[in-house]
Amino acid sequence: MLFHKSIFFALYSCLLFFSCRKATVSPCNEDTSLYSSADFFIGTAINVDELVFNPRYREIAVKQFNSITAENIFKSAYLHPKPSRFFWADADSLVAFCTTTQKRLHGHTLIWHQQLPEWINTFHGNKSEWEQLFKTHIQTIVSHFKGKVAAWDVVNEAFNEDGTLRNSIWRQHLGDGYIEKAFIYAQEADSLALLFYNDYNLESNPTKRHSVLSLLNAMRARGVKVDGVGLQMHISIMYPDVQAIVEAMDEVVRADFVMHLSEIDISVNPFGKSIELTPDLMKRQADLLGSLVLAYKKVPKRLKYGMTFWGISDQNSWIRTTFNRIDYPLLYDDGYLPKPCFCTLKNTL
Ligand code: XIL
């Protein structure tokens, strides 16, 4: 009888344990990495100064992520400061870091209208001189990193919100065809790298997204290698809603492009009020991230390039400096401790 009682008690305890585990938020710690919990890449944008001078930052970068995007040092202003001078040192040290720590390196970005060197912004030349500049710029960079960079954001942010082409310096001098040409030149320099088009609001604005997808489809139909789309995912707890994001992902899947959630951050203060980070805000942020992960997990494996966060700690998020507002959009707090959204991410992956 005693034997039966003890079995009953053991079974009862087991049941209680598992039902409790389900009912409460499961504990989360940093002992195992984010990326080992996922069957796709988990990335972060890296600020190289932090990587060198901040041991805690470096520890998190090495431990939690297996894909790296340079937040700034792969941009034109850094890599191509003078017409015939390229500056490789910083980028090469990031390549070395990725090799040593076995991280995938994502190249961001070849053609963009921002963070251009002064000499490109002020370049006077005819169409063929612009063509020359454009081709040399792309091919010198892609060749330098051939075999080291897994994929490139070949063109970044080329569309307006109404779905028309942004009248960037590149379009002004090279015409509408510059996007297609950029992909062709990149492919010539490294035929194995994956080639992405990357933009913001693609997850929230169907008009913009449709224009992007129809251009990429047309390019692909003409035989141009274009592998994927980067949905930047600079989103907030207010907007867009999860359903809009799911629709965006479905469309990218139906169009059969590889999908990168390329610059994720979730603002809790999009209107720039004077706020404090309350448990409620953190929970809403965590819940949204959880839904995002669940939606991304449904994307077929062959189309999942990965999820990349645009930084590590709230302390060094671009949102604070660029938009001059207090915000807490990332996985780690100002003291580099994991926030609830980190735990939700880890438990949802
Ligand atoms: C941002 C960086 O995070 C900032 O440090 C820099 O001052 C400006 O650029 N979309 C992009 C990224 O594609 O390159 C931008 O990064 C953020 C918006």
Side-chain angles (χ1 to χ4, degrees):
M1 191 59 195
L2 200 64
F3 176 66
H4 286 292
K5 249 193 180 164
S6 61
I7 288 193
F8 174 78
F9 184 72
L11 280 173
Y12 181 74
S13 315
C14 273
L15 267 175
L16 201 67
F17 174 67
F18 283 110
S19 58
C20 284
R21 262 170 62 102
K22 261 201 153 165
T24 56
V25 175
S26 35
C28 106
N29 61 50
E30 295 175 274
D31 294 347
T32 58
S33 64
L34 287 174
Y35 73 80
S36 63
S37 312
D39 71 345
F40 49 85
F41 280 85
I42 305 289
T44 183
I46 285 290
N47 173 315
V48 280
D49 287 339
E50 294 290 335
L51 193 67
V52 172
F53 296 113
N54 181 342
R56 173 66 176 146
Y57 181 99
R58 191 184 173 92
E59 180 200 346
I60 296 171
V62 172
K63 173 135 197 203
Q64 302 294 347
F65 302 96
N66 59 351
S67 181
I68 299 292
T69 305
E71 186 172 357
N72 285 303
I73 61 164
F74 270 62
K75 292 173 179 169
S76 306
Y78 291 81
L79 285 185
H80 199 174
K82 292 277 179 300
S84 43
R85 192 166 84 80
F86 287 83
F87 173 68
W88 306 120
D90 287 354
D92 283 350
S93 68
L94 192 63
V95 169
F97 168 80
C98 290
T99 310
T100 320
T101 56
Q102 295 181 298
K103 310 292 180 203
R104 180 182 72 182
L105 182 54
H106 181 77
H108 174 80
T109 172
L110 295 169
I111 295 298
W112 190 25
H113 63 286
Q114 285 186 30
Q115 292 182 278
L116 288 169
E118 194 48 28
W119 74 269
I120 292 186
N121 276 326
T122 56
F123 186 74
H124 289 290
N126 58 29
K127 189 159 184 204
S128 92
E129 286 159 335
W130 270 97
E131 286 275 357
Q132 192 53 43
L133 177 168
F134 182 73
K135 184 173 181 184
T136 309
H137 176 74
I138 294 171
Q139 296 202 325
T140 310
I141 294 172
V142 176
S143 306
H144 181 85
F145 296 107
K146 188 174 175 175
K148 295 166 183 162
V149 160
W152 286 100
D153 289 334
V154 179
V155 177
N156 197 35
E157 302 182 353
F159 281 82
N160 296 313
E161 294 307 293
D162 66 1
T164 57
L165 280 182
R166 183 192 293 279
N167 201 19
S168 70
I169 196 166
W170 302 113
R171 179 169 180 263
Q172 286 167 31
H173 295 285
L174 299 163
D176 290 356
Y178 83 93
I179 299 177
E180 180 158 343
K181 279 187 183 148
F183 278 80
I184 293 170
Y185 294 150
Q187 189 269 336
E188 284 173 2
D190 184 352
S191 61
L192 295 181
L194 292 182
L195 304 181
F196 281 85
Y197 175 81
N198 191 54
D199 213 328
Y200 59 89
N201 288 353
L202 297 182
E203 60 285 342
S204 57
N205 179 348
T207 309
K208 185 175 188 179
R209 179 171 70 246
H210 295 158
S211 292
V212 167
L213 290 177
S214 82
L215 174 69
L216 301 187
N217 265 321
M219 282 165 47
R220 193 167 53 183
R222 287 191 283 270
V224 176
K225 178 173 146 69
V226 37
D227 299 287
V229 184
L231 310 180
Q232 290 185 4
M233 290 284 171
H234 296 293
I235 59 178
S236 82
I237 56 171
M238 319 272 184
Y239 182 82
D241 62 30
V242 176
Q243 194 44 40
I245 297 176
V246 169
E247 265 164 41
M249 289 191 192
D250 284 350
E251 277 178 26
V252 175
V253 169
R254 278 203 297 278
D256 204 33
F257 286 110
V258 177
M259 196 192 310
H260 185 196
L261 307 188
S262 56
E263 305 183 9
I264 306 166
D265 44 31
I266 304 181
S267 164
V268 295
N269 188 25
F271 306 120
K273 300 196 173 133
S274 110
I275 59 151
E276 269 176 37
L277 185 58
T278 58
D280 174 59
L281 286 177
M282 286 196 281
K283 182 172 183 311
R284 288 168 65 190
Q285 182 181 49
D287 289 349
L288 180 56
L289 182 56
S291 307
L292 191 65
V293 175
L294 288 177
Y296 193 65
K297 280 170 87 172
K298 293 195 184 122
V299 172
K301 192 165 169 46
R302 68 188 176 84
L303 298 181
K304 274 194 291 230
Y305 180 75
M307 291 178 68
T308 296
F309 291 83
W310 207 241
I312 290 179
S313 147
D314 290 338
Q315 192 184 94
N316 35 52
S317 163
W318 75 297
I319 288 188
R320 289 191 183 174
T321 42
T322 307
F323 303 109
N324 192 25
R325 69 173 195 245
I326 188 69
D327 214 326
Y328 305 91
L330 292 170
L331 297 172
Y332 286 82
D333 69 14
D334 282 71
Y336 285 88
L337 291 173
K339 287 160 60 189
C341 57
F342 176 96
C343 305
T344 302
L345 170 64
K346 185 149 186 199
N347 295 328
T348 318
L349 279 170

